Amino acid sequence: MSYSTADSLTTVTLDDVRGAQKMLTGIARVTAMEGSRYLSQLVGAPVHFKCENLQRTGSFKLRGAYVRIAGLLPEERAAGVVAASAGNHAQGVALASALLGVHATVFMPKGAPLPKISATQDYGADVRLHGQVVDETLAAAQEYAERTGAVFIHPFDHRDVIAGQGTVGLEILEQCPEVRTIVLGIGGGGLAAGVAIAVKALRPDVRIIGVQAEGAAAYPPSLAAGRPVSVDQPTTMADGIKVGRPGDIPFRIVGDLVDEVRTVSEDDLASALLLCLERAKLVVEPAGASPVAALLRDPETVEGPVVALLSGGNVDPLLMQRVLRHGMVAAGRYLQVRVRLTDRPGALATLLGVLSVADANVLDVSHVRTDPRLGLTEAEVELHLETKGREHCAEVGQALGEAGYTVIG
């Protein structure tokens, strides 16, 4: 796609999204729609997952990247493209460029997870590691574009990208025509803007709810101010929506068409990721699980049928390990306590007997005997326990107290 007027560069229509859908035929998968019995019971209406975590490259980002690069003029393609990303956009640009025969250079932070770096390289991009945070990486990519003439592919602030992401909305209406509410994550706003354009043009009655992480929620203050404002040092495990400032183009669209923007905590995200893995058997990254987090937090505030858009599944295994542990803690499924006891033979066996009766599964035990806080005959034991929920955690604590143990924490 190419445009000639200033207004056309910031306006996206249903026709643009439909054009993008034709362009993506045979390129992007029409991803599955899966029902969630657990969330349906919680909400009191059917809840479905739109599984963009199963898209090529593991996220919806391929859609927008392909439409943007396919719309370049021949001389622009010859100059190559450049992007900056810690993961999903990098892979989308890399694959789209490979499919279109365009050379891609992708700048990634030095601390980017190795699996994401390897995947981006495997798709054929020239990966350059620069900076510790994405802002530094972004600056390097823009400087490279100015120096070499390569076209900078923005992850969300371009109408072609928004049109490409909007094809997800068309698929949702085709797969679940009775939908009443769509819940999706918001970072810079490209996905939310595209989906809103497609859905509201065809079904203005459908409610669209955006979700941001509390530590990186730039949209609520921006919408209140009527202009994009920045969040200093956004912090969240959900790197896919960890954006400090809304994009100028998507901000206008989100402000006009998205009905509500909610925030969720890190605990909410961890619990949602755990639910996706255990109940739906779906590997979803924290950003992709943000709609599920919102439904778990306030299930009674949405009208069904509901579609929760799982935007990506590219999660680093080390982060997955930490998040799952955190999710188990948040759900009362994992308990870590320190218990002070008399340091004598059989004391540990007695303690473990109390935990056995309380039906707590001991995962790990460690002793501390040489600490100035302890008396001469005292020891401290740190226990990692698998539990069955918050009520069971309380029962375990009560059983230890009744047995005469001092629980430190």
Side-chain angles (χ1 to χ4, degrees), residues 304-389:
V306 179
V307 172
L309 204 170
L310 308 182
S311 57
N314 292 317
V315 57
D316 179 55
L318 294 177
L319 175 62
M320 171 73 85
Q321 184 179 29
R322 294 197 299 271
V323 170
L324 289 180
R325 178 67 58 85
H326 191 78
M328 290 180 71
V329 171
R333 300 268 305 282
Y334 182 89
L335 180 63
Q336 181 177 332
V337 295
R338 287 179 293 131
V339 177
R340 194 165 293 176
L341 45 73
T342 301
D343 190 10
R344 57 176 174 77
L348 179 59
T350 302
L351 171 61
L352 296 179
V354 172
L355 295 171
S356 177
V357 172
D359 205 20
N361 184 31
V362 179
L363 301 175
D364 189 37
V365 179
S366 61
H367 282 83
V368 176
R369 289 188 172 88
T370 56
D371 190 297
R373 297 177 296 108
L374 300 175
L376 186 62
T377 62
E378 288 183 321
E380 197 171 275
V381 177
E382 184 176 281
L383 299 149
H384 296 248
L385 309 172
E386 183 181 3
T387 48
K388 300 176 181 178

Side-chain angles (χ1 to χ4, degrees), residues 13 42 45 99 102 364 390:
T13 67
L42 198 64
L99 293 171
V102 177
D364 189 37
R390 294 183 180 88

Side-chain angles (χ1 to χ4, degrees), residues 40-327:
S40 297
Q41 292 173 343
L42 198 64
V43 170
V47 176
H48 307 280
F49 293 147
K50 175 59 172 169
C51 299
E52 281 296 288
N53 59 310
L54 303 179
Q55 184 56 261
R56 295 177 72 178
T57 76
S59 87
F60 71 96
K61 288 288 190 177
L62 171 65
R63 297 173 183 263
Y66 187 90
V67 174
R68 172 75 173 103
I69 298 170
L72 296 178
L73 298 173
E75 57 269 27
E76 291 175 318
R77 291 197 193 192
V81 299
V82 60
S85 168
N88 290 347
H89 180 57
Q91 293 175 66
V93 168
L95 178 57
S97 299
L99 293 171
L100 291 164
V102 177
H103 180 265
T105 302
V106 177
F107 284 78
M108 303 181 76
K110 291 180 180 178
L114 289 176
K116 293 185 178 182
I117 295 173
S118 297
T120 304
Q121 291 173 327
D122 289 345
Y123 288 127
D126 174 16
V127 173
R128 304 191 181 190
L129 302 181
H130 183 92
Q132 299 300 325
V133 296
V134 175
D135 285 345
E136 295 173 355
T137 308
L138 179 63
Q142 291 173 325
E143 187 277 331
Y144 177 90
E146 294 172 1
R147 177 166 47 85
T148 66
V151 179
F152 179 69
I153 307 299
H154 200 285
F156 49 82
D157 206 9
H158 193 281
R159 60 166 300 174
D160 287 356
V161 173
I162 293 170
Q165 320 305 29
T167 60
V168 182
L170 294 180
E171 289 179 17
I172 289 173
L173 295 183
E174 292 164 2
Q175 294 170 307
C176 185
E178 68 277 15
V179 63
R180 298 291 299 172
T181 305
I182 297 172
V183 189
L184 44 69
I186 298 185
L191 176 65
V195 169
I197 287 165
V199 171
K200 289 293 188 177
L202 297 170
R203 287 281 308 281
D205 59 303
V206 173
R207 186 170 178 79
I208 299 177
I209 299 174
V211 184
Q212 292 206 289
E214 288 176 354
Y219 264 92
S222 296
L223 293 170
R227 58 180 175 78
V229 297
S230 299
V231 172
D232 292 333
Q233 297 182 334
T235 304
T236 176
M237 72 174 87
D239 57 356
I241 53 174
K242 186 180 176 181
V243 178
R245 183 186 183 278
D248 292 329
I249 301 174
F251 174 75
R252 289 172 30 194
I253 300 167
V254 169
D256 289 342
L257 299 179
V258 172
D259 296 281
E260 181 184 356
V261 177
R262 300 181 181 182
T263 61
V264 293
S265 69
E266 298 300 283
D267 282 352
D268 295 331
L269 290 167
S271 297
L273 190 148
L274 184 62
L275 182 140
C276 289
L277 188 63
E278 286 193 324
R279 297 298 185 106
K281 316 306 178 191
L282 291 170
V283 175
V284 183
E285 62 190 84
S290 60
V292 178
L295 293 176
L296 288 173
R297 186 165 186 164
D298 295 301
E300 70 285 350
T301 60
V302 293
E303 180 183 359
V306 179
V307 172
L309 204 170
L310 308 182
S311 57
N314 292 317
V315 57
D316 179 55
L318 294 177
L319 175 62
M320 171 73 85
Q321 184 179 29
R322 294 197 299 271
V323 170
L324 289 180
R325 178 67 58 85
H326 191 78

